[in-house]
Amino acid sequence: MKKLFKIKAKHVRWVLGTFILIIYTSMNVSCDSVVEVTDPDIVTPESLNNEAGLQTLRAGSLGDLAVAMSGSAAGHGATTGLIVMSGLMADEYDYSGTFPTRREADTRNLQNINTDMNTIYGNLHLARAGAETTIDLLANYGEDPEIESEMQSIIGFSYVMFAETFCGGVSFSKAPANGGDLIFGEPLTTEQMFTAAVSWFDQAQTSAGSSEKLINLARLGKARSLLGLGQIEASAAEVASVPTGFTYNIEQSDNSRRQENGIYIMTTVRRQFSIADGKGDNGLMYRSAMDPRVPWDGGTEFGQDDITLYYNQLKFNSASTSVALASGIEARLIEAEAAANADDAGTVQDIHNELRATMGLSDLDLTGISGDDLLLAHFAERAFWLFSTGHRQGDLRRLVDVYGMPPSEVFPWGDYFKGGQYSPNLKFPVPQSESNNPNYVGCLD
């Protein structure tokens, strides 16, 4: 990604708002004019040496994460985020548009020159690099443990998202905050990405001090990483103290097109991502279940492609609806997974029924269910709770990689509804743009 980061490295050093370059010039205009003009700097380095400045840096990093995960209304035809694209790779969405790059994700037959994925890859790295730069600048402009902790968790989540959705081989390059050339990262295996995430979340917990919100965010991130590593019991122990009512949101806003919720834009506004129902035979019946956790409408008009009957999601019903990055509900679901892994159907049932009661749903009866069937029952419940939040592709991969289930029994499989077949590929490739990194190897797995 040499070209991508060469262009953006200077920007990353001074991450502001929505990726605004901090301009610091000294103008001393001397001329025979009746008006002398002073350069109206947006933000100067000196202005960052305070709480307000650090909060500005923090906002820029979080804004980049929102674009990487949710997408936005900005860009030609809007910008896709990892949430909807990973939903296509899994069983959450059918593609009802005409962009071939998005159809590639729907069939999982992706090329490493896929422009949508290249954009998401770059945006996710930008969010990570911005958070790293914020942490580096804290040392120069005054310590703030809470900002440091939050940014460490954001870095951790970037590693998690790469590990869950991309193949092994992702490199994590470094743009020094004080200038200098980009430090090219070495490609990491999936296991190494999850392990690095654990380290970042451990740092975040240490930095958080007495902030329960940031401690819980780091605990959930670490637990998610441990799930990816197959350390199921340790994951459950990590979140035992996280309250069910906890939520940390990716904030969206209608203040600008870049800040708008890209999930809403790509579904309700552009009708390109339609809620699936039994996708590729193995997919869950998200529509037929008529479950309040996955609200929808539609089925009376076609999508953007004019051939696919369109079903619209209502979970994100405006451009300003936030997206949960981590929640206490997820903590309980992790505990339920540990119980399912231990073949404890009674505990799995109790956890799920307590959660279901909060939505007025009837109780599950898991009597006599065990082994893979119990795991699949749990993962189905998990899918409805976490629908369209960027979890499902990673969950299906975990069923394959950690629990040993055949991909053909987990992912959408067989004939694709628009012709052709679903690919056996389960992961996004490392984009060809990364080949500008001299350490590039493509996919390790």
Side-chain angles (χ1 to χ4, degrees), residues 353-370:
N353 285 341
E354 185 172 344
L355 290 176
R356 287 171 67 88
T358 65
M359 296 289 291
L361 294 165
S362 60
D363 284 351
L364 292 178
D365 184 0
L366 300 179
T367 304
I369 298 178
S370 61

PDB file of all heavy atoms in Angstrom, residues 353-370:
ATOM      1  N   ASN A 353     -32.919 -16.950  26.895  1.00  0.00           N
ATOM      2  CA  ASN A 353     -34.296 -16.605  27.262  1.00  0.00           C
ATOM      3  C   ASN A 353     -34.366 -15.330  28.094  1.00  0.00           C
ATOM      4  O   ASN A 353     -35.338 -14.572  27.999  1.00  0.00           O
ATOM      5  CB  ASN A 353     -34.953 -17.773  27.992  1.00  0.00           C
ATOM      6  CG  ASN A 353     -35.319 -18.900  27.038  1.00  0.00           C
ATOM      7  OD1 ASN A 353     -35.403 -18.689  25.822  1.00  0.00           O
ATOM      8  ND2 ASN A 353     -35.522 -20.095  27.564  1.00  0.00           N
ATOM      9  N   GLU A 354     -33.353 -15.080  28.894  1.00  0.00           N
ATOM     10  CA  GLU A 354     -33.316 -13.826  29.645  1.00  0.00           C
ATOM     11  C   GLU A 354     -33.182 -12.646  28.684  1.00  0.00           C
ATOM     12  O   GLU A 354     -33.829 -11.608  28.874  1.00  0.00           O
ATOM     13  CB  GLU A 354     -32.151 -13.852  30.632  1.00  0.00           C
ATOM     14  CG  GLU A 354     -32.115 -12.636  31.543  1.00  0.00           C
ATOM     15  CD  GLU A 354     -31.077 -12.751  32.647  1.00  0.00           C
ATOM     16  OE1 GLU A 354     -30.593 -13.861  32.913  1.00  0.00           O
ATOM     17  OE2 GLU A 354     -30.754 -11.699  33.247  1.00  0.00           O
ATOM     18  N   LEU A 355     -32.362 -12.804  27.651  1.00  0.00           N
ATOM     19  CA  LEU A 355     -32.231 -11.741  26.656  1.00  0.00           C
ATOM     20  C   LEU A 355     -33.504 -11.594  25.832  1.00  0.00           C
ATOM     21  O   LEU A 355     -33.958 -10.481  25.555  1.00  0.00           O
ATOM     22  CB  LEU A 355     -31.044 -12.035  25.729  1.00  0.00           C
ATOM     23  CG  LEU A 355     -29.635 -11.916  26.326  1.00  0.00           C
ATOM     24  CD1 LEU A 355     -28.590 -12.331  25.294  1.00  0.00           C
ATOM     25  CD2 LEU A 355     -29.363 -10.492  26.812  1.00  0.00           C
ATOM     26  N   ARG A 356     -34.070 -12.712  25.428  1.00  0.00           N
ATOM     27  CA  ARG A 356     -35.274 -12.675  24.589  1.00  0.00           C
ATOM     28  C   ARG A 356     -36.442 -11.996  25.309  1.00  0.00           C
ATOM     29  O   ARG A 356     -37.264 -11.321  24.688  1.00  0.00           O
ATOM     30  CB  ARG A 356     -35.660 -14.097  24.178  1.00  0.00           C
ATOM     31  CG  ARG A 356     -34.739 -14.709  23.138  1.00  0.00           C
ATOM     32  CD  ARG A 356     -35.036 -16.191  22.919  1.00  0.00           C
ATOM     33  NE  ARG A 356     -36.354 -16.401  22.305  1.00  0.00           N
ATOM     34  CZ  ARG A 356     -36.584 -16.412  20.992  1.00  0.00           C
ATOM     35  NH1 ARG A 356     -35.573 -16.220  20.144  1.00  0.00           N
ATOM     36  NH2 ARG A 356     -37.799 -16.633  20.521  1.00  0.00           N
ATOM     37  N   ALA A 357     -36.495 -12.160  26.620  1.00  0.00           N
ATOM     38  CA  ALA A 357     -37.583 -11.557  27.393  1.00  0.00           C
ATOM     39  C   ALA A 357     -37.572 -10.031  27.273  1.00  0.00           C
ATOM     40  O   ALA A 357     -38.629  -9.387  27.339  1.00  0.00           O
ATOM     41  CB  ALA A 357     -37.481 -11.977  28.852  1.00  0.00           C
ATOM     42  N   THR A 358     -36.396  -9.451  27.076  1.00  0.00           N
ATOM     43  CA  THR A 358     -36.311  -7.995  26.957  1.00  0.00           C
ATOM     44  C   THR A 358     -36.947  -7.495  25.666  1.00  0.00           C
ATOM     45  O   THR A 358     -37.253  -6.305  25.541  1.00  0.00           O
ATOM     46  CB  THR A 358     -34.844  -7.528  26.994  1.00  0.00           C
ATOM     47  OG1 THR A 358     -34.144  -8.037  25.839  1.00  0.00           O
ATOM     48  CG2 THR A 358     -34.152  -8.015  28.256  1.00  0.00           C
ATOM     49  N   MET A 359     -37.149  -8.388  24.693  1.00  0.00           N
ATOM     50  CA  MET A 359     -37.781  -8.028  23.426  1.00  0.00           C
ATOM     51  C   MET A 359     -39.185  -8.606  23.303  1.00  0.00           C
ATOM     52  O   MET A 359     -39.817  -8.506  22.249  1.00  0.00           O
ATOM     53  CB  MET A 359     -36.928  -8.535  22.253  1.00  0.00           C
ATOM     54  CG  MET A 359     -35.555  -7.909  22.163  1.00  0.00           C
ATOM     55  SD  MET A 359     -35.607  -6.172  21.632  1.00  0.00           S
ATOM     56  CE  MET A 359     -36.122  -6.364  19.921  1.00  0.00           C
ATOM     57  N   GLY A 360     -39.672  -9.225  24.383  1.00  0.00           N
ATOM     58  CA  GLY A 360     -41.000  -9.820  24.350  1.00  0.00           C
ATOM     59  C   GLY A 360     -41.077 -11.081  23.499  1.00  0.00           C
ATOM     60  O   GLY A 360     -42.164 -11.474  23.052  1.00  0.00           O
ATOM     61  N   LEU A 361     -39.932 -11.747  23.298  1.00  0.00           N
ATOM     62  CA  LEU A 361     -39.891 -12.970  22.498  1.00  0.00           C
ATOM     63  C   LEU A 361     -40.187 -14.179  23.368  1.00  0.00           C
ATOM     64  O   LEU A 361     -39.845 -14.218  24.554  1.00  0.00           O
ATOM     65  CB  LEU A 361     -38.515 -13.132  21.838  1.00  0.00           C
ATOM     66  CG  LEU A 361     -38.165 -12.078  20.776  1.00  0.00           C
ATOM     67  CD1 LEU A 361     -36.672 -12.117  20.467  1.00  0.00           C
ATOM     68  CD2 LEU A 361     -38.979 -12.322  19.513  1.00  0.00           C
ATOM     69  N   SER A 362     -40.791 -15.192  22.785  1.00  0.00           N
ATOM     70  CA  SER A 362     -41.092 -16.421  23.525  1.00  0.00           C
ATOM     71  C   SER A 362     -39.809 -17.168  23.862  1.00  0.00           C
ATOM     72  O   SER A 362     -38.767 -16.983  23.225  1.00  0.00           O
ATOM     73  CB  SER A 362     -42.018 -17.310  22.700  1.00  0.00           C
ATOM     74  OG  SER A 362     -41.405 -17.673  21.466  1.00  0.00           O
ATOM     75  N   ASP A 363     -39.892 -18.031  24.865  1.00  0.00           N
ATOM     76  CA  ASP A 363     -38.716 -18.778  25.304  1.00  0.00           C
ATOM     77  C   ASP A 363     -38.278 -19.809  24.268  1.00  0.00           C
ATOM     78  O   ASP A 363     -39.105 -20.385  23.544  1.00  0.00           O
ATOM     79  CB  ASP A 363     -39.020 -19.515  26.614  1.00  0.00           C
ATOM     80  CG  ASP A 363     -39.024 -18.584  27.810  1.00  0.00           C
ATOM     81  OD1 ASP A 363     -38.629 -17.404  27.650  1.00  0.00           O
ATOM     82  OD2 ASP A 363     -39.442 -19.023  28.898  1.00  0.00           O
ATOM     83  N   LEU A 364     -36.961 -20.028  24.221  1.00  0.00           N
ATOM     84  CA  LEU A 364     -36.411 -21.143  23.454  1.00  0.00           C
ATOM     85  C   LEU A 364     -36.471 -22.406  24.297  1.00  0.00           C
ATOM     86  O   LEU A 364     -36.329 -22.355  25.524  1.00  0.00           O
ATOM     87  CB  LEU A 364     -34.939 -20.876  23.096  1.00  0.00           C
ATOM     88  CG  LEU A 364     -34.599 -19.766  22.113  1.00  0.00           C
ATOM     89  CD1 LEU A 364     -33.078 -19.686  21.963  1.00  0.00           C
ATOM     90  CD2 LEU A 364     -35.247 -20.040  20.761  1.00  0.00           C
ATOM     91  N   ASP A 365     -36.642 -23.532  23.646  1.00  0.00           N
ATOM     92  CA  ASP A 365     -36.570 -24.819  24.332  1.00  0.00           C
ATOM     93  C   ASP A 365     -35.447 -25.622  23.687  1.00  0.00           C
ATOM     94  O   ASP A 365     -35.568 -26.097  22.565  1.00  0.00           O
ATOM     95  CB  ASP A 365     -37.893 -25.579  24.209  1.00  0.00           C
ATOM     96  CG  ASP A 365     -37.881 -26.885  24.993  1.00  0.00           C
ATOM     97  OD1 ASP A 365     -36.844 -27.198  25.623  1.00  0.00           O
ATOM     98  OD2 ASP A 365     -38.904 -27.608  24.960  1.00  0.00           O
ATOM     99  N   LEU A 366     -34.321 -25.707  24.392  1.00  0.00           N
ATOM    100  CA  LEU A 366     -33.150 -26.402  23.865  1.00  0.00           C
ATOM    101  C   LEU A 366     -32.984 -27.785  24.496  1.00  0.00           C
ATOM    102  O   LEU A 366     -31.907 -28.385  24.439  1.00  0.00           O
ATOM    103  CB  LEU A 366     -31.890 -25.559  24.108  1.00  0.00           C
ATOM    104  CG  LEU A 366     -31.898 -24.168  23.452  1.00  0.00           C
ATOM    105  CD1 LEU A 366     -30.616 -23.414  23.785  1.00  0.00           C
ATOM    106  CD2 LEU A 366     -32.075 -24.285  21.943  1.00  0.00           C
ATOM    107  N   THR A 367     -34.052 -28.301  25.064  1.00  0.00           N
ATOM    108  CA  THR A 367     -34.004 -29.615  25.695  1.00  0.00           C
ATOM    109  C   THR A 367     -33.584 -30.682  24.679  1.00  0.00           C
ATOM    110  O   THR A 367     -34.146 -30.765  23.579  1.00  0.00           O
ATOM    111  CB  THR A 367     -35.375 -29.996  26.267  1.00  0.00           C
ATOM    112  OG1 THR A 367     -35.804 -28.981  27.171  1.00  0.00           O
ATOM    113  CG2 THR A 367     -35.302 -31.332  26.990  1.00  0.00           C
ATOM    114  N   GLY A 368     -32.579 -31.451  25.057  1.00  0.00           N
ATOM    115  CA  GLY A 368     -32.139 -32.553  24.204  1.00  0.00           C
ATOM    116  C   GLY A 368     -31.222 -32.158  23.056  1.00  0.00           C
ATOM    117  O   GLY A 368     -30.799 -33.010  22.271  1.00  0.00           O
ATOM    118  N   ILE A 369     -30.909 -30.880  22.941  1.00  0.00           N
ATOM    119  CA  ILE A 369     -30.015 -30.432  21.867  1.00  0.00           C
ATOM    120  C   ILE A 369     -28.589 -30.386  22.394  1.00  0.00           C
ATOM    121  O   ILE A 369     -28.332 -29.896  23.496  1.00  0.00           O
ATOM    122  CB  ILE A 369     -30.444 -29.041  21.354  1.00  0.00           C
ATOM    123  CG1 ILE A 369     -31.855 -29.118  20.774  1.00  0.00           C
ATOM    124  CG2 ILE A 369     -29.469 -28.510  20.315  1.00  0.00           C
ATOM    125  CD1 ILE A 369     -32.387 -27.783  20.288  1.00  0.00           C
ATOM    126  N   SER A 370     -27.654 -30.887  21.600  1.00  0.00           N
ATOM    127  CA  SER A 370     -26.266 -30.935  22.045  1.00  0.00           C
ATOM    128  C   SER A 370     -25.326 -30.842  20.841  1.00  0.00           C
ATOM    129  O   SER A 370     -25.762 -30.826  19.687  1.00  0.00           O
ATOM    130  CB  SER A 370     -25.991 -32.247  22.799  1.00  0.00           C
ATOM    131  OG  SER A 370     -26.200 -33.375  21.953  1.00  0.00           O
TER     132      SER A 370
END
